[in-house]
Amino acid sequence: MKPYLQVEDLTKSYGDRMLFDSITFGVNEGDKIGIIAKNGTGKSTLLRLLSGREAPDSGTVTFRNDLRVGFLDQTPVFEPGTSLMSNLLPALHENDHEEWNREDRVRQMLSQLGINDAGQSVDHLSGGQIKRAALARVLLGAPDLLILDEPTNHLDIPTVEWLENYLSRQRVTLLMVTHDRYFLDRVCNKIIEIDMKQIFTYEGNFDSYLRRRAERIEALTGELAKVKNTLRKEQEWMRRQPQARAGKARYRINAFYDLKERASVRYDERNIDPDEVKSSYIGSKIFEAKGVSKRFGDKVILDDFTYMFARYEKVGIVGENGVGKSTFIKMLQGIVRQDSGEWNVGETVRFGYYSQEGINLPEGKRVIDAITDITEDVVINGTTHYTPMQFLTRFLFSPADQQKYISTLSGGEMRRLNLAAVLITQPNFLILDEPTNDLDIMTLGILEEYLRNFKGCVIVISHDRFFLDSIVDHLFVMEGNGVIKDFPGNYTDYRNYLKELKAAQTLEAANKQQPKAAAPSRRSESVERPRRMTFKERKEYEALTAEIDSLTAEKNELEALFNSGENIPDIADKAARYSELKELLDEKELRWLELSELA
């Protein structure tokens, strides 16, 4: 097991804010490591230190000599005015195949990531497309070590699943930050958690990490209880012994302050209380869509959509990028006008909209001031009152964090603030457009618990499969061209349904290809004796059996290759061979069936 990367005594702080202190860990060949931490505790900073984009306060980062490292930034950039192809071609190695094949590989990788025009200018790409193009550039370089910062952000679910399959099959060493828990569980074999300015390493996938972390927190909580019990006794001693402070028991006084610091550690991560942050009352009439249609030119978003929403309904919206998911929820709120049809919204409905763009909060203001501008009195359940400062502490903003200027917040902190700004108005119909981007796993768990207990309606667009499985009762599957199908179940149920449907269709197609055996004719007097197989036919039958086995094995290998997510340099040739194999098998299996009747 070759060491690829060694981190020794790494320390990083910003002013008086310490992110991590003297952390040490290694990355070996074959490791697939996920980094987990609360937002603002240094995940992305650690990756920037490893890439050399920032310098540590102290400590060393050492890579193995001649190691190829691919780094995906959370917010990648391309040189303006250049084409995608010109940016991605240099990522391929010099000893790759001919130029036409190099371009074909670039197009193939981009296509697998949902970009079909490799010649377009990077100036015309959306933020999500830039992230996909940067991911393609990193993967095309076939690095020994991949360092990825939030690789699944801005990817739709089919592309996330392709990437998940690709990384789990590739013999690549991986170090990444992601909040996608299914992704962590299915790809990683090791988890590193940043907590309390230190790191904790857990062997195994995300599910194993959850179990072992719970054991660690339980042990720390037990230790904390003992510390607090000792602290109480020492506090009594300090109050009874004022003269001791003059120097007689200085060692005990120092120990007291050490205990006090240790007792101040918090392990409770339930900062949003689902029983307190509730919705306002919602009546029995929610809203009804009647014959709603919408198109942009030739692109159809909705086509005669009709639906009656029920009280407390929780719906997930899924579909490929570009089918109109965000447009759908903007139409529901009247932000985008429909071409025809109508939305009838109940009088008690109060929308809370959490968008990808976020609320337009003034960057020049402090966090506390921005929330106070929305309301100075947060009323919960009509009786309990909170100040904006008290409310913000439930969203992981400490009093010190509340004094930060909005312009200095990290992406995750900004997401949390937007969430607080939405929920502080006590909506009873939440509309969430990609709410999980940039939220840490701890906050995601809190949000999921809140939504499960939410006494109102929820519509959520998300590529986070774990989040969808935790929240929704059913799905709107937007298939494109205005078609929306209502699926009764969560996302995993839907994927299993698709797999079963595909298997049934494959079986049906196979049955149609097999000729039906002719029904035996009845003879009134005698039964005709069947013809026996000749020697020549016997030899042909045996040869066909071996040949069909060989062709089937080759066909299965190609299918496995196509489904693997790997780069396939000669994909056109292999696709042609695959079609040829199917024709050959049909022909030879038909002849084999004819001969088998004589066997």
Side-chain angles (χ1 to χ4, degrees), residues 268-302:
D268 181 16
E269 292 167 351
R270 292 171 51 88
N271 287 275
I272 304 173
D273 190 339
D275 294 327
E276 293 183 351
V277 186
K278 292 185 178 178
S279 65
S280 58
Y281 170 78
I282 189 168
S284 57
K285 181 184 177 182
I286 311 305
F287 79 83
E288 180 182 9
K290 288 185 177 180
V292 178
S293 297
K294 180 67 180 178
R295 68 170 61 222
F296 294 103
D298 295 333
K299 183 176 181 179
V300 181
I301 304 299
L302 289 182

mmCIF file of all heavy atoms in Angstrom, residues 268-302:
data_model
loop_
_atom_site.group_PDB
_atom_site.id
_atom_site.type_symbol
_atom_site.label_atom_id
_atom_site.label_comp_id
_atom_site.label_asym_id
_atom_site.label_seq_id
_atom_site.Cartn_x
_atom_site.Cartn_y
_atom_site.Cartn_z
ATOM 1 N N ASP A 268 -24.066 18.708 21.753
ATOM 2 C CA ASP A 268 -25.447 18.684 21.301
ATOM 3 C C ASP A 268 -25.548 19.390 19.954
ATOM 4 O O ASP A 268 -25.191 20.548 19.832
ATOM 5 C CB ASP A 268 -26.338 19.392 22.329
ATOM 6 C CG ASP A 268 -27.804 19.380 21.910
ATOM 7 O OD1 ASP A 268 -28.137 18.584 21.009
ATOM 8 O OD2 ASP A 268 -28.579 20.156 22.497
ATOM 9 N N GLU A 269 -26.003 18.663 18.921
ATOM 10 C CA GLU A 269 -26.087 19.235 17.587
ATOM 11 C C GLU A 269 -27.524 19.553 17.181
ATOM 12 O O GLU A 269 -27.793 19.895 16.045
ATOM 13 C CB GLU A 269 -25.471 18.273 16.566
ATOM 14 C CG GLU A 269 -23.975 18.146 16.755
ATOM 15 C CD GLU A 269 -23.382 16.998 15.981
ATOM 16 O OE1 GLU A 269 -24.153 16.189 15.437
ATOM 17 O OE2 GLU A 269 -22.157 16.909 15.930
ATOM 18 N N ARG A 270 -28.476 19.429 18.108
ATOM 19 C CA ARG A 270 -29.878 19.738 17.794
ATOM 20 C C ARG A 270 -30.115 21.224 18.043
ATOM 21 O O ARG A 270 -30.631 21.630 19.076
ATOM 22 C CB ARG A 270 -30.823 18.895 18.654
ATOM 23 C CG ARG A 270 -30.800 17.418 18.321
ATOM 24 C CD ARG A 270 -31.595 16.643 19.361
ATOM 25 N NE ARG A 270 -32.918 17.233 19.555
ATOM 26 C CZ ARG A 270 -33.992 16.915 18.827
ATOM 27 N NH1 ARG A 270 -33.888 16.034 17.859
ATOM 28 N NH2 ARG A 270 -35.158 17.476 19.065
ATOM 29 N N ASN A 271 -29.733 22.035 17.055
ATOM 30 C CA ASN A 271 -29.861 23.485 17.213
ATOM 31 C C ASN A 271 -31.172 24.023 16.664
ATOM 32 O O ASN A 271 -31.538 25.144 16.931
ATOM 33 C CB ASN A 271 -28.687 24.189 16.526
ATOM 34 C CG ASN A 271 -27.418 24.010 17.319
ATOM 35 O OD1 ASN A 271 -27.149 24.758 18.236
ATOM 36 N ND2 ASN A 271 -26.653 22.982 16.981
ATOM 37 N N ILE A 272 -31.859 23.253 15.831
ATOM 38 C CA ILE A 272 -33.185 23.635 15.372
ATOM 39 C C ILE A 272 -34.151 22.653 16.011
ATOM 40 O O ILE A 272 -34.087 21.457 15.763
ATOM 41 C CB ILE A 272 -33.306 23.568 13.840
ATOM 42 C CG1 ILE A 272 -32.242 24.434 13.175
ATOM 43 C CG2 ILE A 272 -34.694 23.983 13.386
ATOM 44 C CD1 ILE A 272 -32.198 24.298 11.678
ATOM 45 N N ASP A 273 -35.042 23.128 16.856
ATOM 46 C CA ASP A 273 -35.961 22.257 17.585
ATOM 47 C C ASP A 273 -37.242 22.097 16.762
ATOM 48 O O ASP A 273 -38.016 23.046 16.615
ATOM 49 C CB ASP A 273 -36.294 22.860 18.950
ATOM 50 C CG ASP A 273 -37.049 21.868 19.834
ATOM 51 O OD1 ASP A 273 -37.635 20.916 19.272
ATOM 52 O OD2 ASP A 273 -37.045 22.054 21.053
ATOM 53 N N PRO A 274 -37.508 20.902 16.222
ATOM 54 C CA PRO A 274 -38.700 20.703 15.394
ATOM 55 C C PRO A 274 -40.003 20.965 16.148
ATOM 56 O O PRO A 274 -41.023 21.269 15.533
ATOM 57 C CB PRO A 274 -38.604 19.227 14.978
ATOM 58 C CG PRO A 274 -37.182 18.856 15.175
ATOM 59 C CD PRO A 274 -36.708 19.682 16.333
ATOM 60 N N ASP A 275 -39.980 20.835 17.466
ATOM 61 C CA ASP A 275 -41.204 21.053 18.232
ATOM 62 C C ASP A 275 -41.484 22.531 18.468
ATOM 63 O O ASP A 275 -42.561 22.902 18.930
ATOM 64 C CB ASP A 275 -41.104 20.334 19.582
ATOM 65 C CG ASP A 275 -41.067 18.824 19.408
ATOM 66 O OD1 ASP A 275 -41.711 18.348 18.455
ATOM 67 O OD2 ASP A 275 -40.391 18.153 20.201
ATOM 68 N N GLU A 276 -40.499 23.401 18.171
ATOM 69 C CA GLU A 276 -40.691 24.824 18.427
ATOM 70 C C GLU A 276 -40.866 25.635 17.151
ATOM 71 O O GLU A 276 -41.694 26.536 17.081
ATOM 72 C CB GLU A 276 -39.509 25.375 19.236
ATOM 73 C CG GLU A 276 -39.438 24.813 20.648
ATOM 74 C CD GLU A 276 -38.308 25.435 21.444
ATOM 75 O OE1 GLU A 276 -37.502 26.163 20.853
ATOM 76 O OE2 GLU A 276 -38.255 25.208 22.659
ATOM 77 N N VAL A 277 -40.055 25.321 16.118
ATOM 78 C CA VAL A 277 -40.127 26.094 14.882
ATOM 79 C C VAL A 277 -41.198 25.467 13.996
ATOM 80 O O VAL A 277 -40.901 24.610 13.173
ATOM 81 C CB VAL A 277 -38.772 26.125 14.153
ATOM 82 C CG1 VAL A 277 -38.837 27.050 12.959
ATOM 83 C CG2 VAL A 277 -37.686 26.563 15.107
ATOM 84 N N LYS A 278 -42.442 25.862 14.183
ATOM 85 C CA LYS A 278 -43.548 25.252 13.457
ATOM 86 C C LYS A 278 -44.137 26.214 12.444
ATOM 87 O O LYS A 278 -43.843 27.402 12.425
ATOM 88 C CB LYS A 278 -44.624 24.778 14.443
ATOM 89 C CG LYS A 278 -44.167 23.609 15.316
ATOM 90 C CD LYS A 278 -45.294 23.104 16.173
ATOM 91 C CE LYS A 278 -44.836 21.904 17.011
ATOM 92 N NZ LYS A 278 -45.913 21.414 17.891
ATOM 93 N N SER A 279 -45.046 25.683 11.635
ATOM 94 C CA SER A 279 -45.710 26.501 10.630
ATOM 95 C C SER A 279 -46.914 27.200 11.237
ATOM 96 O O SER A 279 -47.391 26.843 12.313
ATOM 97 C CB SER A 279 -46.185 25.592 9.488
ATOM 98 O OG SER A 279 -47.174 24.692 9.969
ATOM 99 N N SER A 280 -47.398 28.210 10.506
ATOM 100 C CA SER A 280 -48.671 28.805 10.878
ATOM 101 C C SER A 280 -49.796 27.888 10.400
ATOM 102 O O SER A 280 -49.577 26.962 9.619
ATOM 103 C CB SER A 280 -48.789 30.198 10.240
ATOM 104 O OG SER A 280 -48.669 30.107 8.827
ATOM 105 N N TYR A 281 -51.026 28.151 10.855
ATOM 106 C CA TYR A 281 -52.167 27.295 10.531
ATOM 107 C C TYR A 281 -52.410 27.263 9.027
ATOM 108 O O TYR A 281 -52.322 28.279 8.341
ATOM 109 C CB TYR A 281 -53.423 27.815 11.234
ATOM 110 C CG TYR A 281 -54.694 27.140 10.772
ATOM 111 C CD1 TYR A 281 -55.031 25.863 11.232
ATOM 112 C CD2 TYR A 281 -55.545 27.774 9.872
ATOM 113 C CE1 TYR A 281 -56.193 25.243 10.799
ATOM 114 C CE2 TYR A 281 -56.713 27.158 9.426
ATOM 115 C CZ TYR A 281 -57.029 25.892 9.894
ATOM 116 O OH TYR A 281 -58.172 25.274 9.467
ATOM 117 N N ILE A 282 -52.714 26.071 8.505
ATOM 118 C CA ILE A 282 -53.050 25.935 7.099
ATOM 119 C C ILE A 282 -54.418 25.262 6.998
ATOM 120 O O ILE A 282 -54.685 24.252 7.672
ATOM 121 C CB ILE A 282 -51.976 25.137 6.321
ATOM 122 C CG1 ILE A 282 -52.243 25.194 4.815
ATOM 123 C CG2 ILE A 282 -51.867 23.705 6.802
ATOM 124 C CD1 ILE A 282 -51.083 24.688 3.960
ATOM 125 N N GLY A 283 -55.306 25.846 6.211
ATOM 126 C CA GLY A 283 -56.660 25.334 6.081
ATOM 127 C C GLY A 283 -56.733 24.101 5.211
ATOM 128 O O GLY A 283 -55.730 23.585 4.714
ATOM 129 N N SER A 284 -57.965 23.617 5.001
ATOM 130 C CA SER A 284 -58.163 22.395 4.224
ATOM 131 C C SER A 284 -57.986 22.637 2.732
ATOM 132 O O SER A 284 -57.621 21.732 1.986
ATOM 133 C CB SER A 284 -59.551 21.812 4.502
ATOM 134 O OG SER A 284 -60.548 22.774 4.197
ATOM 135 N N LYS A 285 -58.255 23.878 2.273
ATOM 136 C CA LYS A 285 -58.040 24.190 0.869
ATOM 137 C C LYS A 285 -56.604 24.672 0.679
ATOM 138 O O LYS A 285 -56.211 25.701 1.229
ATOM 139 C CB LYS A 285 -59.008 25.260 0.378
ATOM 140 C CG LYS A 285 -58.805 25.584 -1.108
ATOM 141 C CD LYS A 285 -59.703 26.702 -1.574
ATOM 142 C CE LYS A 285 -59.413 27.027 -3.046
ATOM 143 N NZ LYS A 285 -60.235 28.149 -3.545
ATOM 144 N N ILE A 286 -55.812 23.926 -0.065
ATOM 145 C CA ILE A 286 -54.411 24.297 -0.293
ATOM 146 C C ILE A 286 -54.319 25.019 -1.637
ATOM 147 O O ILE A 286 -54.372 26.224 -1.703
ATOM 148 C CB ILE A 286 -53.497 23.059 -0.248
ATOM 149 C CG1 ILE A 286 -53.796 22.222 1.004
ATOM 150 C CG2 ILE A 286 -52.039 23.490 -0.271
ATOM 151 C CD1 ILE A 286 -53.699 22.979 2.306
ATOM 152 N N PHE A 287 -54.174 24.288 -2.714
ATOM 153 C CA PHE A 287 -54.304 24.899 -4.025
ATOM 154 C C PHE A 287 -54.575 23.841 -5.072
ATOM 155 O O PHE A 287 -54.316 22.648 -4.875
ATOM 156 C CB PHE A 287 -53.093 25.759 -4.397
ATOM 157 C CG PHE A 287 -51.889 24.980 -4.872
ATOM 158 C CD1 PHE A 287 -51.789 24.567 -6.183
ATOM 159 C CD2 PHE A 287 -50.854 24.705 -4.006
ATOM 160 C CE1 PHE A 287 -50.680 23.869 -6.622
ATOM 161 C CE2 PHE A 287 -49.738 24.013 -4.441
ATOM 162 C CZ PHE A 287 -49.661 23.593 -5.764
ATOM 163 N N GLU A 288 -55.105 24.314 -6.176
ATOM 164 C CA GLU A 288 -55.488 23.426 -7.261
ATOM 165 C C GLU A 288 -54.938 23.978 -8.566
ATOM 166 O O GLU A 288 -55.014 25.185 -8.824
ATOM 167 C CB GLU A 288 -57.015 23.320 -7.333
ATOM 168 C CG GLU A 288 -57.519 22.405 -8.439
ATOM 169 C CD GLU A 288 -59.042 22.383 -8.498
ATOM 170 O OE1 GLU A 288 -59.670 23.206 -7.800
ATOM 171 O OE2 GLU A 288 -59.585 21.554 -9.242
ATOM 172 N N ALA A 289 -54.350 23.093 -9.363
ATOM 173 C CA ALA A 289 -53.908 23.465 -10.700
ATOM 174 C C ALA A 289 -54.936 22.956 -11.705
ATOM 175 O O ALA A 289 -55.316 21.782 -11.666
ATOM 176 C CB ALA A 289 -52.538 22.862 -10.996
ATOM 177 N N LYS A 290 -55.396 23.850 -12.583
ATOM 178 C CA LYS A 290 -56.397 23.472 -13.583
ATOM 179 C C LYS A 290 -55.876 23.777 -14.985
ATOM 180 O O LYS A 290 -55.727 24.939 -15.365
ATOM 181 C CB LYS A 290 -57.696 24.264 -13.355
ATOM 182 C CG LYS A 290 -58.489 23.849 -12.134
ATOM 183 C CD LYS A 290 -59.804 24.632 -12.091
ATOM 184 C CE LYS A 290 -60.665 24.190 -10.920
ATOM 185 N NZ LYS A 290 -61.952 24.942 -10.872
ATOM 186 N N GLY A 291 -55.554 22.715 -15.719
ATOM 187 C CA GLY A 291 -55.175 22.851 -17.118
ATOM 188 C C GLY A 291 -54.040 23.798 -17.383
ATOM 189 O O GLY A 291 -54.045 24.544 -18.380
ATOM 190 N N VAL A 292 -53.013 23.804 -16.509
ATOM 191 C CA VAL A 292 -51.913 24.762 -16.646
ATOM 192 C C VAL A 292 -50.948 24.312 -17.750
ATOM 193 O O VAL A 292 -50.495 23.159 -17.773
ATOM 194 C CB VAL A 292 -51.153 24.910 -15.314
ATOM 195 C CG1 VAL A 292 -49.983 25.877 -15.473
ATOM 196 C CG2 VAL A 292 -52.091 25.404 -14.220
ATOM 197 N N SER A 293 -50.633 25.246 -18.638
ATOM 198 C CA SER A 293 -49.687 24.975 -19.725
ATOM 199 C C SER A 293 -48.655 26.098 -19.787
ATOM 200 O O SER A 293 -48.954 27.254 -19.491
ATOM 201 C CB SER A 293 -50.409 24.856 -21.070
ATOM 202 O OG SER A 293 -51.295 23.758 -21.075
ATOM 203 N N LYS A 294 -47.433 25.723 -20.184
ATOM 204 C CA LYS A 294 -46.361 26.713 -20.311
ATOM 205 C C LYS A 294 -45.310 26.206 -21.294
ATOM 206 O O LYS A 294 -44.922 25.024 -21.243
ATOM 207 C CB LYS A 294 -45.705 26.970 -18.944
ATOM 208 C CG LYS A 294 -44.579 27.999 -18.984
ATOM 209 C CD LYS A 294 -45.083 29.384 -19.300
ATOM 210 C CE LYS A 294 -43.972 30.413 -19.349
ATOM 211 N NZ LYS A 294 -44.481 31.752 -19.705
ATOM 212 N N ARG A 295 -44.889 27.098 -22.169
ATOM 213 C CA ARG A 295 -43.798 26.753 -23.079
ATOM 214 C C ARG A 295 -42.933 27.980 -23.315
ATOM 215 O O ARG A 295 -43.385 29.125 -23.162
ATOM 216 C CB ARG A 295 -44.326 26.196 -24.402
ATOM 217 C CG ARG A 295 -45.057 27.202 -25.270
ATOM 218 C CD ARG A 295 -45.331 26.639 -26.652
ATOM 219 N NE ARG A 295 -46.160 25.454 -26.616
ATOM 220 C CZ ARG A 295 -45.949 24.367 -27.363
ATOM 221 N NH1 ARG A 295 -44.924 24.336 -28.199
ATOM 222 N NH2 ARG A 295 -46.747 23.338 -27.300
ATOM 223 N N PHE A 296 -41.684 27.723 -23.663
ATOM 224 C CA PHE A 296 -40.763 28.768 -24.098
ATOM 225 C C PHE A 296 -40.340 28.411 -25.523
ATOM 226 O O PHE A 296 -39.503 27.517 -25.721
ATOM 227 C CB PHE A 296 -39.543 28.859 -23.185
ATOM 228 C CG PHE A 296 -39.849 29.308 -21.784
ATOM 229 C CD1 PHE A 296 -39.893 28.401 -20.738
ATOM 230 C CD2 PHE A 296 -40.115 30.643 -21.509
ATOM 231 C CE1 PHE A 296 -40.177 28.807 -19.441
ATOM 232 C CE2 PHE A 296 -40.397 31.063 -20.217
ATOM 233 C CZ PHE A 296 -40.436 30.149 -19.177
ATOM 234 N N GLY A 297 -40.970 29.070 -26.513
ATOM 235 C CA GLY A 297 -40.702 28.704 -27.897
ATOM 236 C C GLY A 297 -41.183 27.286 -28.160
ATOM 237 O O GLY A 297 -42.342 26.946 -27.921
ATOM 238 N N ASP A 298 -40.269 26.428 -28.634
ATOM 239 C CA ASP A 298 -40.620 25.033 -28.912
ATOM 240 C C ASP A 298 -40.517 24.143 -27.672
ATOM 241 O O ASP A 298 -40.899 22.973 -27.715
ATOM 242 C CB ASP A 298 -39.700 24.459 -30.012
ATOM 243 C CG ASP A 298 -39.904 25.162 -31.344
ATOM 244 O OD1 ASP A 298 -41.024 25.668 -31.568
ATOM 245 O OD2 ASP A 298 -38.950 25.206 -32.143
ATOM 246 N N LYS A 299 -39.981 24.680 -26.579
ATOM 247 C CA LYS A 299 -39.778 23.874 -25.382
ATOM 248 C C LYS A 299 -41.021 23.910 -24.497
ATOM 249 O O LYS A 299 -41.424 24.963 -24.007
ATOM 250 C CB LYS A 299 -38.569 24.390 -24.600
ATOM 251 C CG LYS A 299 -38.236 23.555 -23.376
ATOM 252 C CD LYS A 299 -36.972 24.063 -22.707
ATOM 253 C CE LYS A 299 -36.619 23.210 -21.498
ATOM 254 N NZ LYS A 299 -35.388 23.675 -20.854
ATOM 255 N N VAL A 300 -41.619 22.738 -24.282
ATOM 256 C CA VAL A 300 -42.837 22.629 -23.481
ATOM 257 C C VAL A 300 -42.454 22.305 -22.038
ATOM 258 O O VAL A 300 -41.761 21.325 -21.780
ATOM 259 C CB VAL A 300 -43.782 21.535 -24.032
ATOM 260 C CG1 VAL A 300 -45.053 21.462 -23.186
ATOM 261 C CG2 VAL A 300 -44.122 21.814 -25.484
ATOM 262 N N ILE A 301 -42.914 23.144 -21.100
ATOM 263 C CA ILE A 301 -42.660 22.916 -19.674
ATOM 264 C C ILE A 301 -43.828 22.166 -19.047
ATOM 265 O O ILE A 301 -43.652 21.130 -18.399
ATOM 266 C CB ILE A 301 -42.432 24.252 -18.932
ATOM 267 C CG1 ILE A 301 -41.285 25.040 -19.579
ATOM 268 C CG2 ILE A 301 -42.145 23.985 -17.451
ATOM 269 C CD1 ILE A 301 -39.952 24.358 -19.562
ATOM 270 N N LEU A 302 -45.041 22.673 -19.215
ATOM 271 C CA LEU A 302 -46.258 22.028 -18.729
ATOM 272 C C LEU A 302 -47.267 21.948 -19.861
ATOM 273 O O LEU A 302 -47.384 22.872 -20.667
ATOM 274 C CB LEU A 302 -46.880 22.805 -17.563
ATOM 275 C CG LEU A 302 -46.163 22.800 -16.211
ATOM 276 C CD1 LEU A 302 -46.969 23.590 -15.184
ATOM 277 C CD2 LEU A 302 -45.930 21.390 -15.705
#
